[in-house]
Amino acid sequence: MSHILVVEDDDQFREMIRAVLEQAGYEVRIAEDGEKALRLLRQQAADLVVTDIVMPNKEGLETIIELRKSFCEVKIIGISGAGGEGPRSYLRMAERLGADRTFTKPLHLPQFLDAVRELSA
């Protein structure tokens, strides 16, 4: 069973992603920001990290940089719902920093789950 860490500051969105992933058969842990995510990863590895980009404390781009330095084998999906042109520019930067896939919110769940299956295999 693949282990997935979901990093998202919006409680409802975080719980929705957790429910979808658990229903698909994944073991899921959650974190509200990048600081907590990195602490959790030091305790137990994950196969995949799904991280929001815009968050308080350690935001998603910083988290991706740290993941690539300290957990270079982990796969990363970046997600963003920042208004206007924001999501696309944040997600392009996330890809440059090492995200394997990126998605804008609201998520298209079939495409998202396809990416999760591919990256966590």
Side-chain angles (χ1 to χ4, degrees):
M1 176 184 305
S2 294
H3 300 283
I4 300 174
L5 176 59
V6 175
V7 189
E8 168 64 57
D9 63 318
D10 180 285
D11 296 342
Q12 288 183 311
F13 195 78
R14 185 177 59 242
E15 290 303 322
M16 182 275 297
I17 293 176
R18 182 209 305 244
V20 166
L21 292 172
E22 286 178 345
Q23 187 174 9
Y26 297 99
E27 182 177 310
V28 181
R29 290 182 295 154
I30 58 171
E32 300 82 37
D33 61 46
E35 289 177 2
K36 183 173 182 186
L38 293 166
R39 281 195 305 272
L40 288 172
L41 283 172
R42 288 183 186 102
Q43 295 169 6
Q44 181 184 1
D47 301 299
L48 173 66
V49 173
V50 177
T51 185
D52 190 15
I53 301 301
V54 180
M55 299 180 288
N57 300 326
K58 187 179 287 282
E59 51 83 38
L61 297 176
E62 290 177 282
T63 301
I64 291 169
I65 291 168
E66 185 66 31
L67 288 169
R68 283 293 160 241
K69 285 181 186 173
S70 301
F71 306 95
C72 55
E73 72 288 345
V74 74
K75 300 295 185 185
I76 303 168
I77 293 177
I79 55 177
S80 182
E85 187 61 26
R88 285 188 280 286
S89 63
Y90 285 131
L91 294 175
R92 281 192 298 270
M93 181 62 71
E95 290 170 357
R96 285 188 209 113
L97 294 172
D100 297 287
R101 296 281 189 292
T102 58
F103 292 92
T104 56
K105 295 177 189 175
L107 292 176
H108 182 262
L109 289 176
Q111 287 179 330
F112 175 72
L113 287 171
D114 284 347
V116 169
R117 274 190 287 279
E118 178 187 329
L119 294 172
S120 65

